[in-house]
mmCIF file of all heavy atoms in Angstrom:
data_model
loop_
_atom_site.group_PDB
_atom_site.id
_atom_site.type_symbol
_atom_site.label_atom_id
_atom_site.label_comp_id
_atom_site.label_asym_id
_atom_site.label_seq_id
_atom_site.Cartn_x
_atom_site.Cartn_y
_atom_site.Cartn_z
ATOM 1 N N GLY Q 699 0.864 -1.208 0.020
ATOM 2 C CA GLY Q 699 -0.009 0.017 0.032
ATOM 3 C C GLY Q 699 0.851 1.255 -0.005
ATOM 4 O O GLY Q 699 2.005 1.207 0.390
ATOM 5 N N ALA Q 700 0.312 2.348 -0.459
ATOM 6 C CA ALA Q 700 1.013 3.622 -0.518
ATOM 7 C C ALA Q 700 1.638 3.986 0.824
ATOM 8 O O ALA Q 700 1.136 3.640 1.875
ATOM 9 C CB ALA Q 700 0.098 4.726 -1.000
ATOM 10 N N PHE Q 701 2.745 4.712 0.777
ATOM 11 C CA PHE Q 701 3.387 5.275 1.975
ATOM 12 C C PHE Q 701 3.974 4.277 2.910
ATOM 13 O O PHE Q 701 4.213 4.505 4.084
ATOM 14 C CB PHE Q 701 2.413 6.198 2.732
ATOM 15 C CG PHE Q 701 1.710 7.227 1.902
ATOM 16 C CD1 PHE Q 701 0.375 7.252 1.786
ATOM 17 C CD2 PHE Q 701 2.489 8.231 1.285
ATOM 18 C CE1 PHE Q 701 -0.251 8.159 0.901
ATOM 19 C CE2 PHE Q 701 1.897 9.165 0.484
ATOM 20 C CZ PHE Q 701 0.517 9.153 0.320
ATOM 21 N N GLY Q 702 4.343 3.070 2.376
ATOM 22 C CA GLY Q 702 5.030 2.109 3.226
ATOM 23 C C GLY Q 702 4.196 1.108 3.919
ATOM 24 O O GLY Q 702 4.562 0.759 5.145
ATOM 25 N N VAL Q 703 3.094 0.708 3.403
ATOM 26 C CA VAL Q 703 2.273 -0.353 4.020
ATOM 27 C C VAL Q 703 2.578 -1.653 3.306
ATOM 28 O O VAL Q 703 2.483 -1.803 2.128
ATOM 29 C CB VAL Q 703 0.759 -0.007 4.001
ATOM 30 C CG1 VAL Q 703 0.005 -1.045 4.778
ATOM 31 C CG2 VAL Q 703 0.550 1.380 4.513
ATOM 32 N N PHE Q 704 2.922 -2.694 4.131
ATOM 33 C CA PHE Q 704 3.249 -3.994 3.544
ATOM 34 C C PHE Q 704 2.727 -5.172 4.406
ATOM 35 O O PHE Q 704 2.678 -5.047 5.620
ATOM 36 C CB PHE Q 704 4.763 -4.164 3.470
ATOM 37 C CG PHE Q 704 5.499 -3.219 2.576
ATOM 38 C CD1 PHE Q 704 6.121 -2.075 3.159
ATOM 39 C CD2 PHE Q 704 5.511 -3.350 1.202
ATOM 40 C CE1 PHE Q 704 6.772 -1.156 2.304
ATOM 41 C CE2 PHE Q 704 6.160 -2.436 0.380
ATOM 42 C CZ PHE Q 704 6.839 -1.370 0.961
ATOM 43 N N SER Q 705 2.419 -6.214 3.694
ATOM 44 C CA SER Q 705 2.358 -7.548 4.328
ATOM 45 C C SER Q 705 3.191 -8.483 3.437
ATOM 46 O O SER Q 705 2.828 -8.895 2.356
ATOM 47 C CB SER Q 705 0.929 -8.114 4.403
ATOM 48 O OG SER Q 705 0.946 -9.336 5.066
ATOM 49 N N LEU Q 706 4.506 -8.754 3.914
ATOM 50 C CA LEU Q 706 5.492 -9.423 3.123
ATOM 51 C C LEU Q 706 5.522 -10.884 3.591
ATOM 52 O O LEU Q 706 5.606 -11.126 4.764
ATOM 53 C CB LEU Q 706 6.842 -8.731 3.331
ATOM 54 C CG LEU Q 706 8.045 -9.505 2.664
ATOM 55 C CD1 LEU Q 706 8.009 -9.316 1.148
ATOM 56 C CD2 LEU Q 706 9.351 -9.006 3.235
ATOM 57 N N VAL Q 707 5.444 -11.778 2.623
ATOM 58 C CA VAL Q 707 5.446 -13.270 2.923
ATOM 59 C C VAL Q 707 6.779 -13.825 2.301
ATOM 60 O O VAL Q 707 7.035 -13.530 1.163
ATOM 61 C CB VAL Q 707 4.233 -13.937 2.345
ATOM 62 C CG1 VAL Q 707 4.343 -15.411 2.666
ATOM 63 C CG2 VAL Q 707 2.946 -13.332 2.871
ATOM 64 N N VAL Q 708 7.548 -14.490 3.141
ATOM 65 C CA VAL Q 708 8.813 -15.108 2.623
ATOM 66 C C VAL Q 708 8.693 -16.639 2.898
ATOM 67 O O VAL Q 708 9.099 -17.092 3.997
ATOM 68 C CB VAL Q 708 10.040 -14.596 3.320
ATOM 69 C CG1 VAL Q 708 11.335 -15.129 2.664
ATOM 70 C CG2 VAL Q 708 10.039 -13.031 3.241
ATOM 71 N N PRO Q 709 8.171 -17.417 1.993
ATOM 72 C CA PRO Q 709 7.922 -18.810 2.231
ATOM 73 C C PRO Q 709 9.129 -19.590 2.635
ATOM 74 O O PRO Q 709 9.074 -20.449 3.540
ATOM 75 C CB PRO Q 709 7.309 -19.299 0.963
ATOM 76 C CG PRO Q 709 6.809 -18.078 0.281
ATOM 77 C CD PRO Q 709 7.576 -16.943 0.649
ATOM 78 N N SER Q 710 10.265 -19.280 2.026
ATOM 79 C CA SER Q 710 11.510 -20.060 2.308
ATOM 80 C C SER Q 710 12.024 -19.823 3.738
ATOM 81 O O SER Q 710 12.835 -20.581 4.247
ATOM 82 C CB SER Q 710 12.601 -19.659 1.301
ATOM 83 O OG SER Q 710 12.893 -18.300 1.415
ATOM 84 N N ARG Q 711 11.561 -18.779 4.427
ATOM 85 C CA ARG Q 711 11.966 -18.516 5.817
ATOM 86 C C ARG Q 711 10.796 -18.589 6.754
ATOM 87 O O ARG Q 711 10.984 -18.337 7.895
ATOM 88 C CB ARG Q 711 12.503 -17.090 5.907
ATOM 89 C CG ARG Q 711 13.651 -16.719 4.924
ATOM 90 C CD ARG Q 711 14.778 -17.732 4.892
ATOM 91 N NE ARG Q 711 16.006 -17.162 4.322
ATOM 92 C CZ ARG Q 711 16.372 -17.115 3.054
ATOM 93 N NH1 ARG Q 711 15.457 -17.575 2.129
ATOM 94 N NH2 ARG Q 711 17.525 -16.632 2.637
ATOM 95 N N GLU Q 712 9.642 -19.068 6.283
ATOM 96 C CA GLU Q 712 8.414 -19.218 7.144
ATOM 97 C C GLU Q 712 8.187 -17.865 7.911
ATOM 98 O O GLU Q 712 7.969 -17.841 9.050
ATOM 99 C CB GLU Q 712 8.584 -20.277 8.180
ATOM 100 C CG GLU Q 712 8.719 -21.704 7.501
ATOM 101 C CD GLU Q 712 8.832 -22.778 8.610
ATOM 102 O OE1 GLU Q 712 10.000 -23.073 8.969
ATOM 103 O OE2 GLU Q 712 7.776 -23.322 9.023
ATOM 104 N N LEU Q 713 8.294 -16.711 7.098
ATOM 105 C CA LEU Q 713 8.372 -15.415 7.667
ATOM 106 C C LEU Q 713 7.278 -14.511 7.057
ATOM 107 O O LEU Q 713 7.008 -14.595 5.860
ATOM 108 C CB LEU Q 713 9.753 -14.827 7.391
ATOM 109 C CG LEU Q 713 10.071 -13.388 7.896
ATOM 110 C CD1 LEU Q 713 10.117 -13.400 9.382
ATOM 111 C CD2 LEU Q 713 11.409 -12.996 7.306
ATOM 112 N N VAL Q 714 6.645 -13.743 7.948
ATOM 113 C CA VAL Q 714 5.717 -12.656 7.516
ATOM 114 C C VAL Q 714 6.085 -11.390 8.302
ATOM 115 O O VAL Q 714 6.295 -11.435 9.494
ATOM 116 C CB VAL Q 714 4.242 -13.053 7.780
ATOM 117 C CG1 VAL Q 714 3.323 -11.905 7.459
ATOM 118 C CG2 VAL Q 714 3.800 -14.308 7.109
ATOM 119 N N ILE Q 715 6.189 -10.330 7.528
ATOM 120 C CA ILE Q 715 6.502 -9.056 8.120
ATOM 121 C C ILE Q 715 5.378 -8.064 7.654
ATOM 122 O O ILE Q 715 5.204 -7.837 6.453
ATOM 123 C CB ILE Q 715 7.847 -8.485 7.686
ATOM 124 C CG1 ILE Q 715 9.018 -9.520 8.073
ATOM 125 C CG2 ILE Q 715 8.155 -7.116 8.281
ATOM 126 C CD1 ILE Q 715 10.345 -9.047 7.561
ATOM 127 N N ALA Q 716 4.732 -7.506 8.672
ATOM 128 C CA ALA Q 716 3.641 -6.508 8.364
ATOM 129 C C ALA Q 716 4.078 -5.155 8.875
ATOM 130 O O ALA Q 716 4.640 -5.023 9.981
ATOM 131 C CB ALA Q 716 2.359 -6.980 8.996
ATOM 132 N N GLN Q 717 3.799 -4.112 8.071
ATOM 133 C CA GLN Q 717 4.112 -2.729 8.501
ATOM 134 C C GLN Q 717 3.114 -1.773 8.028
ATOM 135 O O GLN Q 717 2.527 -1.903 6.921
ATOM 136 C CB GLN Q 717 5.484 -2.352 7.817
ATOM 137 C CG GLN Q 717 5.819 -0.841 7.967
ATOM 138 C CD GLN Q 717 7.144 -0.469 7.333
ATOM 139 O OE1 GLN Q 717 8.207 -0.932 7.807
ATOM 140 N NE2 GLN Q 717 7.099 0.270 6.232
ATOM 141 N N ILE Q 718 2.793 -0.778 8.874
ATOM 142 C CA ILE Q 718 2.027 0.378 8.471
ATOM 143 C C ILE Q 718 2.885 1.614 8.770
ATOM 144 O O ILE Q 718 3.481 1.766 9.833
ATOM 145 C CB ILE Q 718 0.691 0.396 9.252
ATOM 146 C CG1 ILE Q 718 -0.118 -0.823 9.001
ATOM 147 C CG2 ILE Q 718 -0.109 1.718 8.847
ATOM 148 C CD1 ILE Q 718 -1.457 -0.876 9.838
ATOM 149 N N ALA Q 719 2.946 2.532 7.759
ATOM 150 C CA ALA Q 719 3.813 3.700 7.865
ATOM 151 C C ALA Q 719 3.229 4.852 7.100
ATOM 152 O O ALA Q 719 2.248 4.701 6.372
ATOM 153 C CB ALA Q 719 5.202 3.325 7.321
ATOM 154 N N LEU Q 720 3.788 6.004 7.307
ATOM 155 C CA LEU Q 720 3.561 7.175 6.481
ATOM 156 C C LEU Q 720 4.882 7.654 6.025
ATOM 157 O O LEU Q 720 5.552 8.506 6.635
ATOM 158 C CB LEU Q 720 2.812 8.293 7.254
ATOM 159 C CG LEU Q 720 2.533 9.519 6.342
ATOM 160 C CD1 LEU Q 720 1.494 9.163 5.269
ATOM 161 C CD2 LEU Q 720 2.045 10.707 7.166
ATOM 162 N N ASP Q 721 5.361 7.036 4.956
ATOM 163 C CA ASP Q 721 6.740 7.200 4.499
ATOM 164 C C ASP Q 721 6.715 7.492 2.999
ATOM 165 O O ASP Q 721 7.058 6.719 2.181
ATOM 166 C CB ASP Q 721 7.463 5.856 4.725
ATOM 167 C CG ASP Q 721 8.976 6.024 4.721
ATOM 168 O OD1 ASP Q 721 9.439 7.154 4.531
ATOM 169 O OD2 ASP Q 721 9.653 5.011 4.770
ATOM 170 N N PRO Q 722 6.232 8.713 2.664
ATOM 171 C CA PRO Q 722 5.905 8.968 1.243
ATOM 172 C C PRO Q 722 7.044 9.026 0.296
ATOM 173 O O PRO Q 722 6.887 8.831 -0.913
ATOM 174 C CB PRO Q 722 5.214 10.368 1.375
ATOM 175 C CG PRO Q 722 5.750 10.946 2.591
ATOM 176 C CD PRO Q 722 5.948 9.810 3.561
ATOM 177 N N LEU Q 723 8.277 9.327 0.784
ATOM 178 C CA LEU Q 723 9.394 9.476 -0.216
ATOM 179 C C LEU Q 723 10.277 8.248 -0.302
ATOM 180 O O LEU Q 723 10.987 8.104 -1.281
ATOM 181 C CB LEU Q 723 10.285 10.640 0.305
ATOM 182 C CG LEU Q 723 9.531 11.976 0.396
ATOM 183 C CD1 LEU Q 723 10.492 13.063 0.832
ATOM 184 C CD2 LEU Q 723 8.967 12.378 -0.940
ATOM 185 N N SER Q 724 10.284 7.312 0.659
ATOM 186 C CA SER Q 724 11.165 6.229 0.563
ATOM 187 C C SER Q 724 10.623 4.982 1.180
ATOM 188 O O SER Q 724 11.288 4.327 2.037
ATOM 189 C CB SER Q 724 12.502 6.607 1.267
ATOM 190 O OG SER Q 724 12.264 6.958 2.557
ATOM 191 N N SER Q 725 9.433 4.617 0.862
ATOM 192 C CA SER Q 725 8.795 3.446 1.515
ATOM 193 C C SER Q 725 9.588 2.195 1.278
ATOM 194 O O SER Q 725 9.846 1.416 2.263
ATOM 195 C CB SER Q 725 7.359 3.269 1.054
ATOM 196 O OG SER Q 725 7.315 3.098 -0.349
ATOM 197 N N PHE Q 726 10.009 1.874 0.074
ATOM 198 C CA PHE Q 726 10.781 0.657 -0.126
ATOM 199 C C PHE Q 726 12.150 0.731 0.370
ATOM 200 O O PHE Q 726 12.789 -0.214 0.895
ATOM 201 C CB PHE Q 726 10.766 0.351 -1.662
ATOM 202 C CG PHE Q 726 9.496 -0.283 -2.145
ATOM 203 C CD1 PHE Q 726 8.452 0.513 -2.536
ATOM 204 C CD2 PHE Q 726 9.348 -1.668 -2.279
ATOM 205 C CE1 PHE Q 726 7.251 -0.022 -3.004
ATOM 206 C CE2 PHE Q 726 8.166 -2.215 -2.785
ATOM 207 C CZ PHE Q 726 7.128 -1.407 -3.114
ATOM 208 N N GLU Q 727 12.788 1.905 0.229
ATOM 209 C CA GLU Q 727 14.168 2.109 0.677
ATOM 210 C C GLU Q 727 14.304 1.923 2.147
ATOM 211 O O GLU Q 727 15.328 1.398 2.629
ATOM 212 C CB GLU Q 727 14.651 3.508 0.248
ATOM 213 C CG GLU Q 727 14.905 3.693 -1.287
ATOM 214 C CD GLU Q 727 13.627 3.996 -2.009
ATOM 215 O OE1 GLU Q 727 12.551 3.965 -1.410
ATOM 216 O OE2 GLU Q 727 13.717 4.332 -3.182
ATOM 217 N N ASN Q 728 13.358 2.325 2.987
ATOM 218 C CA ASN Q 728 13.460 2.117 4.384
ATOM 219 C C ASN Q 728 13.035 0.658 4.788
ATOM 220 O O ASN Q 728 13.595 0.145 5.764
ATOM 221 C CB ASN Q 728 12.546 3.132 5.129
ATOM 222 C CG ASN Q 728 13.159 4.449 5.214
ATOM 223 O OD1 ASN Q 728 14.394 4.632 5.169
ATOM 224 N ND2 ASN Q 728 12.350 5.484 5.421
ATOM 225 N N PHE Q 729 12.108 0.128 4.090
ATOM 226 C CA PHE Q 729 11.621 -1.210 4.410
ATOM 227 C C PHE Q 729 12.640 -2.261 4.117
ATOM 228 O O PHE Q 729 12.785 -3.269 4.888
ATOM 229 C CB PHE Q 729 10.270 -1.482 3.656
ATOM 230 C CG PHE Q 729 9.607 -2.745 4.019
ATOM 231 C CD1 PHE Q 729 9.163 -2.919 5.377
ATOM 232 C CD2 PHE Q 729 9.267 -3.699 3.107
ATOM 233 C CE1 PHE Q 729 8.504 -4.127 5.782
ATOM 234 C CE2 PHE Q 729 8.620 -4.843 3.519
ATOM 235 C CZ PHE Q 729 8.218 -5.044 4.810
ATOM 236 N N SER Q 730 13.346 -2.132 3.028
ATOM 237 C CA SER Q 730 14.266 -3.215 2.545
ATOM 238 C C SER Q 730 15.384 -3.509 3.564
ATOM 239 O O SER Q 730 15.616 -4.717 3.791
ATOM 240 C CB SER Q 730 14.861 -2.792 1.211
ATOM 241 O OG SER Q 730 15.702 -3.857 0.705
ATOM 242 N N PRO Q 731 16.101 -2.529 4.149
ATOM 243 C CA PRO Q 731 17.133 -2.938 5.135
ATOM 244 C C PRO Q 731 16.567 -3.627 6.325
ATOM 245 O O PRO Q 731 17.235 -4.466 6.884
ATOM 246 C CB PRO Q 731 17.809 -1.597 5.440
ATOM 247 C CG PRO Q 731 16.899 -0.499 4.939
ATOM 248 C CD PRO Q 731 16.128 -1.092 3.848
ATOM 249 N N PHE Q 732 15.410 -3.169 6.756
ATOM 250 C CA PHE Q 732 14.721 -3.864 7.877
ATOM 251 C C PHE Q 732 14.445 -5.310 7.494
ATOM 252 O O PHE Q 732 14.765 -6.245 8.286
ATOM 253 C CB PHE Q 732 13.423 -3.093 8.202
ATOM 254 C CG PHE Q 732 12.563 -3.807 9.146
ATOM 255 C CD1 PHE Q 732 13.045 -4.230 10.393
ATOM 256 C CD2 PHE Q 732 11.198 -4.061 8.840
ATOM 257 C CE1 PHE Q 732 12.244 -4.950 11.292
ATOM 258 C CE2 PHE Q 732 10.411 -4.755 9.775
ATOM 259 C CZ PHE Q 732 10.903 -5.140 10.998
ATOM 260 N N VAL Q 733 13.900 -5.587 6.313
ATOM 261 C CA VAL Q 733 13.626 -6.960 5.920
ATOM 262 C C VAL Q 733 14.960 -7.742 5.914
ATOM 263 O O VAL Q 733 15.036 -8.866 6.354
ATOM 264 C CB VAL Q 733 12.955 -6.986 4.587
ATOM 265 C CG1 VAL Q 733 12.875 -8.405 4.034
ATOM 266 C CG2 VAL Q 733 11.571 -6.321 4.642
ATOM 267 N N ALA Q 734 16.032 -7.125 5.331
ATOM 268 C CA ALA Q 734 17.321 -7.859 5.297
ATOM 269 C C ALA Q 734 17.784 -8.221 6.749
ATOM 270 O O ALA Q 734 18.342 -9.293 6.892
ATOM 271 C CB ALA Q 734 18.359 -6.945 4.630
#
């Protein structure tokens, strides 16, 4: 969803990461290092 809202599923790691944010300029850029 816009502004950094995600429900990410990683089957190979049995992992789900959910986030709600208001991050209009860098939603993927901020989310990606956290996921890593």
